Amino acid sequence: MPTGQLQHREGELAALREVLGEARQGRPALALIQGSRGIGKSELLRAALAGLPQQSIVLRARCHENEQEYPYGVVRQLFDPFISASGNSGVAPERLSVNLPQGLEQAAVPANGAAAHNLLQNLFQATRSMATARPVVIAIDDLDFADDASLQWCSYIARRLEGLPVALLATVSSETADVHENLPAELGALPYTRVVRPGPLCDTCSAELMAAEFGAPLDAELAAACHTLSQGNPLVLRELTKRLIAAPVSPGSPNLDDVLRIGAQTLSDTTLTWLDQCRPAAVELLNSLAILGPGADLTTAAILAGQGDFLAAQARAALCRTGLLSPGPPEHFRHELVRTAILSRIDSVRRLDLHERAAALLARLGAPATQTAEHLMSLSPAHRAWALPILRTAADEAAAEGSWDTAARYLRRSLAESDDPMALRETTVRLGAVELHRDLASCVRYATTAAAASEPAGRARDLLPLAHPALTVTSTTAARLFADAAAALSTVEDGPREHLLQLSSQALLAGHRVGMKRAVRELRAGENIPESWSFLGALAAMTAAGGRSPLRAARLAVRCTEAASPARADAGLVGAVLAFAWTGRPAEAEQWSAWTVGSARRLRRPAELALALLVHSEVTYRRGNGDESLRSAREALQLARAVNALGLQCAAAACAARALVRLGQVPEAAGLLVGMAVPSDVHPLIRGVILEGQGVVAAARGDHQESLRLFLECGHQLATRGIANQACIPWRAHAANSYQNLGEYAAARTIVADSVSTTPRQRAGAAAPSRTSPGSPAPETGAVQLSAAERRVTDLVLMNLSNLEVAERLCLSKRTVDTHLGRIYRKLGIVGRPELASALKGLSPRG
């Protein structure tokens, strides 16, 4: 509760009143008010004197460090009114019998010996003569700054208070308690000495003081922040409040960033300035601790400051008394803004010098690499040979904790600390591996650099750290790099087996079969290693996408998941999940997709998690769980934006839009896709997912012409990479619905015709007509009929289009077009294109 102008000082005032009461009773009374600067010692002394009876004689003096060279300066302040025969309280006291020097010259004042003793005795006699009529109170502020002669007088009179109604009250700063350590020790040893130590204000009193200054209620967060910054020191708190009012800062709704900035400057201008004046060694130690940063210990800071244990211990004690440091151990700043304020006071040249010395010292002491690296980051590159391994180790530690941005900072700096080509290449590969988890677009550039090695084994070694499905599916450029590296390595007779399997996994996910035969041989010949399971999963996905051997694809996926490891949610497991989803095993697909999400989340790999969530959204959508699919897609969208993966970002938006349509939220779904273009440099499957999502939204909005165009384009993109399995993306079913809504029922029936799941012999019947020789007469063709799909193929063939061009026009795979033509040739009894036009003339219009 407030007490006049004071808060939180009831106990201290009561103790001082007891001391003054002792003096009135003629008993010795001596009180030392000791505390840190600004804690309110002088204010407490004034409050105690204000409660004295009017008939009391008060001798007052205030010391200053600039007046320590003037002997008896404090004594003169105390007795000057009486030397001039002008007393207080309206009553003129008798003139003192002692003649004090009128000047302050050293020669005019007795320094020691009999003259000095006579002066002290006369002053004591004068004090005793004044106390015969009325109580006397001697009040000295900042006694620790008094001159030596005055301190001698204080010690002299303090021991002679017995039987006199005289009280001696003095304030002493705890920061300078050991500057004149003899006097506090002498006075403190007297049995009647009372030491009063005012403590910091509590948070409630701090809030009340600030509210009184603002004249308005105070925001709770503002009060808490100011109390923390000031550590309950009234002087610092008032100065901070004055600056906040001048800023101005609203007491009810403050901007805390502005409050903290102003608080740091206030702290620098008050407490730290006081330390500069009386404790330069403590300031040096404080600077070293601030430079070393969080986790610094006192011993290391003392070495950096050039201080021994004794001096450092004294400095530490002084800093703890100010409240800047916690009492520890370990020592640390009570608030991070304390460190900010200290650093702001160190000039740039001095700070760079301290950072360089700190880096070298920590390197010699074997400190954690991250701690040393932070100091190196503050310096200019200077090709320090010892800095490179420290920066790399720090990057590895940051990556292990999932701090990918920090790891990238260290590695970029590593590139500037060396000009050795081998070191630069290794650092570039490391940086690319880090960018894989924070910026996929940048990772593609580093992958291009890593693939520049001419030797196949070296190229494979450099690309392996970047081999990840998130990169492969979002960049066809990167996918081609992996495929080329796998092809080159497959020609090396004694190439590393695990490298070939890992690179072939990435190539398979991208739809490239290069090096597959050699990889399969290695898989069968060698022991099972993690890379072999990755290859199995990727092979399962490719087999399932083709749609011709679903059972084989499922078996491969099962073999891959049997060896799944929480630390390797890589290409293999992603491929296995897709294989399960595309071969009619949705429960297993959902189980393992959730497993990959959990693994990526534990490992704190954003790009990997974005891809896993995208797959999980696809799987849950197929199982009819629209809410779960939407949640996964939205989280994948945020992560994809964070890692600069445009392909994953667009695919996640498309999956989220598709889920919203299922949940009946069409306008919101359309809003997600506004202005979104299909990226060109991504896997065709990713493009297919994006086109499907756009088509679903267009169909839900009633634009069936646009939806049909999008679905047919989706089929075309899949056909270019041989993805014929309709379970991957059911674009034919979507297109058929669009055709029906447009009234083109024949086209709808044609596009849903399954031309992959059955063989040509099954479609044409067991007794297919035998081929005829070129010279034989053509068979009767009047009874032959072609299906609508076959008629569309023949129309395009007659336009002199190649089989691949026909496949692209009809959004089919080239294999399907080949199958159609083979069946057409058998039906018509011909052997090739030259006979096709004449053979078709005899067909009925419906054929």
Side-chain angles (χ1 to χ4, degrees), residues 489-692:
L489 191 61
S490 65
T491 62
V492 178
E493 201 59 39
D494 56 346
R497 174 172 174 256
E498 62 275 10
H499 292 183
L500 177 62
L501 290 172
Q502 191 70 18
L503 291 175
S504 297
S505 302
Q506 301 301 316
L508 283 177
L509 282 181
H512 299 287
R513 296 171 174 266
V514 292
M516 192 176 73
K517 291 183 179 180
R518 168 77 181 276
V520 170
R521 289 199 304 271
E522 295 288 350
L523 182 68
R524 292 173 178 172
E527 61 181 8
N528 291 328
I529 55 177
E531 289 77 10
S532 65
W533 303 112
S534 298
F535 181 77
L536 280 173
L539 186 59
M542 188 201 70
T543 305
R548 302 181 66 84
S549 305
L551 292 178
R552 180 169 178 264
R555 285 196 298 269
L556 291 170
V558 170
R559 289 180 60 189
C560 175
T561 55
E562 285 176 349
S565 166
R568 294 189 63 85
D570 56 2
L573 202 54
V574 172
V577 171
L578 294 175
F580 282 136
W582 296 340
T583 56
R585 304 175 75 160
E588 291 172 271
E590 184 171 4
Q591 172 192 347
W592 286 104
S593 66
W595 195 92
T596 57
V597 169
S599 175
R601 206 183 295 279
R602 285 192 302 273
L603 296 172
R604 288 178 288 187
R605 296 173 177 172
E608 185 174 299
L609 180 57
L611 180 61
L613 285 166
L614 189 61
V615 173
H616 186 63
S617 174
E618 172 70 21
V619 171
T620 51
Y621 179 81
R622 290 167 180 265
R623 302 207 73 189
N625 192 345
D627 292 326
E628 179 66 20
S629 177
L630 180 60
R631 280 194 296 271
S632 296
R634 280 177 168 167
E635 186 179 355
L637 178 59
Q638 294 177 351
L639 290 168
R641 286 172 177 163
V643 299
N644 194 22
L646 181 60
L648 292 182
Q649 180 181 334
C650 293
C655 287
R658 189 181 57 183
L660 286 169
V661 169
R662 175 170 288 181
L663 296 173
Q665 302 175 36
V666 177
E668 185 177 352
L672 273 178
L673 304 181
V674 171
M676 187 178 76
V678 182
S680 58
D681 189 35
V682 294
H683 194 283
L685 188 61
I686 295 293
R687 287 201 293 271
V689 169
I690 298 170
L691 290 166
E692 182 198 18

Side-chain angles (χ1 to χ4, degrees), residues 210-451:
M210 292 187 66
E213 296 285 341
F214 271 105
L218 210 63
D219 177 76
E221 290 188 4
L222 172 62
C226 292
H227 178 72
T228 300
L229 286 167
S230 66
Q231 286 298 302
N233 187 299
L235 184 60
V236 177
L237 191 63
R238 286 194 176 95
E239 178 64 22
L240 174 56
T241 305
K242 182 176 70 175
R243 296 188 184 195
L244 292 176
I245 294 173
V249 171
S250 170
S253 56
N255 184 328
L256 287 182
D257 290 338
D258 291 341
V259 173
L260 296 178
R261 176 180 51 79
I262 295 171
Q265 188 59 46
T266 304
L267 198 63
S268 173
D269 295 341
T270 53
T271 306
L272 297 176
T273 300
W274 300 337
L275 280 176
D276 274 334
Q277 296 169 358
C278 62
R279 287 288 187 184
V283 174
E284 285 298 317
L285 182 64
L286 203 61
N287 290 344
S288 297
L289 284 170
I291 287 291
L292 289 173
D297 63 275
L298 182 66
T299 303
T300 306
I303 296 173
L304 183 61
Q307 298 176 359
D309 289 346
F310 178 74
L311 187 59
Q314 284 188 323
R316 174 190 174 279
L319 293 174
C320 290
R321 287 196 297 267
T322 64
L324 295 175
L325 290 185
S326 67
E331 295 76 13
H332 59 83
F333 295 108
R334 287 189 179 272
H335 195 279
E336 181 60 25
L337 274 176
V338 175
R339 178 171 178 256
T340 303
I342 294 166
L343 291 175
S344 67
R345 302 174 78 247
I346 307 173
D347 67 86
S348 57
V349 176
R350 172 67 173 161
R351 188 186 302 185
L352 289 175
D353 177 63
L354 284 173
H355 276 301
E356 185 161 11
R357 288 169 49 201
L361 174 62
L362 292 173
R364 290 195 300 270
L365 294 177
T370 302
Q371 187 179 355
T372 309
E374 280 302 317
H375 296 288
L376 289 171
M377 298 298 293
S378 302
L379 305 175
S380 300
H383 296 299
R384 304 172 181 87
W386 55 270
L388 193 60
I390 290 175
L391 289 167
R392 286 181 177 176
T393 304
D396 292 341
E397 293 175 359
E401 296 175 359
S403 302
W404 304 109
D405 290 341
T406 303
R409 283 179 57 237
Y410 293 150
L411 289 172
R412 288 197 188 99
R413 178 55 185 270
S414 298
L415 291 174
E417 286 290 352
S418 176
D419 52 6
D420 178 62
M422 292 299 295
L424 290 175
R425 184 173 186 81
E426 182 181 351
T427 303
T428 300
V429 173
R430 286 170 177 256
L431 183 55
V434 169
E435 295 288 11
L436 180 62
H437 303 288
R438 62 178 300 275
D439 188 346
L440 289 184
S442 177
C443 183
V444 173
R445 295 193 294 271
Y446 289 116
T448 304
T449 302

